[in-house]
Amino acid sequence: MKINHQHYRSIWRDAQSVRIIDQTRLPFAFAVERLHTHEQMCHAIRSMQVRGAPLIGAAAAYGMVLGCQQQADEQTLQNVAAQLLATRPTAVNLAWALQRMLQQLLALPLEQRAQVAWALALAIADEDVAQNQAIGQHGLALIQPLATAHPQRAVNILTHCNAGWLATVDGGTALAPIYAAHDAGLSVHVWVDETRPRNQGASLTAWELAQHGVPHTVISDNAGGHLMQHGQVDMVIVGADRVTRNGDVCNKIGTYLKALAAHDQHIPFYTAVPTPTIDWQLAEGAGIAIEMRDADEVAYMQGQDDQGQLQRLRVIPHESPALNPAFDVTPARLVSGLITERGIVTPQQLPTLEASL
Ligand SMILES: CSC[C@H]1O[C@H](OP(=O)(O)O)[C@H](O)[C@@H]1O
């Protein structure tokens, strides 16, 4: 059976536990983990078994559920939220989901919290799925004219990292318009940035697209600019971990470089972003905390050898230090538009979007 978002969500309730797809095992193994405690959910987020801004938010919500099943007094709830918040600093969805869960749980009588928490987390998950469906349809409207303009060939779209259904509860953000176009019968082809050092593109986006039957080609992170210079890219669509009031886009490290190349080559550069990923409290991207991850993620690579065995190999000298910033900030001036569930807006139109929420 093909494993795609027609069959699975990336996170779901199973009795009194939460099931996740362990994304660190893909693309070579499809493994589902069962989590029983909020500490296990903290580990799953921190180790990137679950990752992607919207999914991190939903995972945090379910982490709050697991953390309040035995005790649901305010001190317990605040402690659980603090532990979940400390897992990863950059995706605003984490803080957004925790704030929403805390506010709703504390408004409930103590004895109702453990049970109602499940419904509150599911509401966050269901909203994400609906938002991504809408993002897909709005983004499809961007792809259709490119397909009309190039009837003899596929529309070539470059994406960075993984912003597919694995990065959300379901449907994806940057990949949602691509799935919508493919499912509508349009001819699309995706350039998949490998996305060093964690290779979310090579291991997750490529896996998703292969499972869904979407034509794609994995490329090194350094190839995108060359392809743009040679007319091989019609548009760029990426995800986001945090967008600020002025439209600066924080996303996986390397996104900024793609935006620079796209701008230089007059190629449309879009970010697909559900509104919970917009941080209305932050004026511009300079204020975003950029996660610094373990340098070993740069120093080592993981893959499968020809005998099907997973190997972890060092790829830099033992004497060489490494630095591993996990995100960068693309200034709003390089962003053609933001594909939200409310429609496509330019960075300059964000205040109008905020007023409509
Ligand atoms: C749908 S947004 C996904 C967003 O999150 C990824 O980061 P990570 O894999 O470290 O959680 C990446 O920035 C994606 O664009």
Side-chain angles (χ1 to χ4, degrees):
M1 173 183 83
K2 286 284 188 189
I3 294 166
N4 59 38
H5 53 98
Q6 266 96 21
H7 303 111
Y8 275 92
R9 283 187 170 189
S10 57
I11 191 167
W12 65 97
R13 178 183 183 177
D14 178 1
Q16 292 309 102
S17 63
V18 177
R19 293 273 190 184
I20 60 164
I21 296 169
D22 179 353
Q23 299 187 31
T24 63
R25 303 283 302 279
L26 288 170
F28 302 115
F30 183 82
V32 174
E33 293 274 310
R34 191 171 188 183
L35 308 182
H36 303 276
T37 67
H38 73 278
E39 291 94 345
Q40 289 173 334
M41 188 62 79
C42 287
H43 171 73
I45 296 170
R46 191 178 295 114
S47 66
M48 296 176 65
Q49 287 179 295
V50 292
R51 31 67 48 199
L55 177 55
I56 287 172
Y62 277 112
M64 286 294 288
V65 178
L66 295 174
C68 76
Q69 292 305 299
Q70 307 308 321
Q71 280 184 276
D73 58 282
E74 179 166 0
Q75 190 57 59
T76 299
L77 292 176
Q78 294 287 3
N79 289 344
V80 169
Q83 291 171 54
L84 287 159
L85 185 64
T87 55
R88 295 188 75 189
T90 304
V92 68
N93 312 64
L94 179 55
W96 169 84
L98 291 172
Q99 179 56 34
R100 176 161 148 172
M101 289 295 287
L102 270 175
Q103 194 172 0
Q104 292 179 336
L105 286 171
L106 292 175
L108 292 170
L110 180 64
E111 65 278 6
Q112 293 180 17
R113 291 172 183 173
Q115 188 51 41
V116 175
W118 287 105
L120 300 178
L122 180 59
I124 287 175
D126 287 346
E127 284 171 24
D128 180 55
V129 174
Q131 287 168 346
N132 299 335
Q133 171 71 18
I135 286 171
Q137 292 307 306
H138 291 308
L140 173 57
L142 291 171
I143 298 172
Q144 270 160 338
L146 290 169
T148 304
H150 305 291
Q152 303 306 321
R153 66 167 176 80
V155 176
N156 289 308
I157 302 170
L158 185 143
T159 194
H160 190 72
C161 198
N162 172 255
W165 70 269
L166 288 170
T168 66
V169 174
D170 202 351
T173 57
L175 296 191
I178 291 166
Y179 287 133
H182 175 79
D183 293 348
L186 299 185
S187 176
V188 291
H189 166 265
V190 184
W191 296 114
V192 178
D193 275 358
E194 61 179 344
T195 317
R196 284 276 291 147
R198 293 283 305 221
N199 282 1
Q200 290 96 321
S203 59
L204 302 178
T205 297
W207 180 83
E208 279 196 37
L209 295 175
Q211 293 292 318
H212 200 83
V214 179
H216 62 284
T217 306
V218 178
I219 55 174
S220 72
D221 291 324
N222 299 323
H226 167 75
L227 293 169
M228 294 184 204
Q229 282 178 321
H230 290 78
Q232 299 295 306
V233 179
D234 297 305
M235 72 185 302
V236 178
I237 310 179
V238 299
D241 293 84
R242 192 183 296 240
V243 174
T244 55
R245 294 181 65 85
N246 70 338
D248 289 347
V249 173
C250 182
N251 195 50
K252 183 53 50 192
I253 192 78
T255 302
Y256 170 50
L257 296 177
K258 294 300 155 21
L260 281 173
H263 190 261
D264 185 58
Q265 292 297 315
H266 310 292
I267 294 169
F269 178 93
Y270 284 90
T271 181
V273 54
T275 51
T277 306
I278 301 174
D279 183 352
W280 301 107
Q281 309 309 312
L282 213 44
E284 55 185 28
I288 298 172
I290 301 296
E291 180 183 16
M292 296 301 283
R293 291 190 64 89
D294 189 323
D296 275 359
E297 293 181 353
V298 176
Y300 290 84
M301 287 190 79
Q302 174 174 296
Q304 186 180 68
D305 66 20
D306 292 343
Q307 287 69 47
Q309 298 303 310
L310 269 186
Q311 301 290 349
R312 178 174 180 267
L313 301 173
R314 187 172 179 90
V315 291
I316 70 172
H318 288 280
E319 304 81 355
S320 300
L323 187 71
N324 186 14
F327 299 96
D328 60 24
V329 176
T330 297
R333 62 181 171 83
L334 299 177
V335 179
S336 306
L338 302 101
I339 309 169
T340 78
E341 73 277 14
R342 298 293 189 93
I344 297 165
V345 296
T346 64
Q348 297 73 23
Q349 293 169 327
L350 280 173
T352 306
L353 172 64
E354 182 185 20
S356 74
L357 294 178

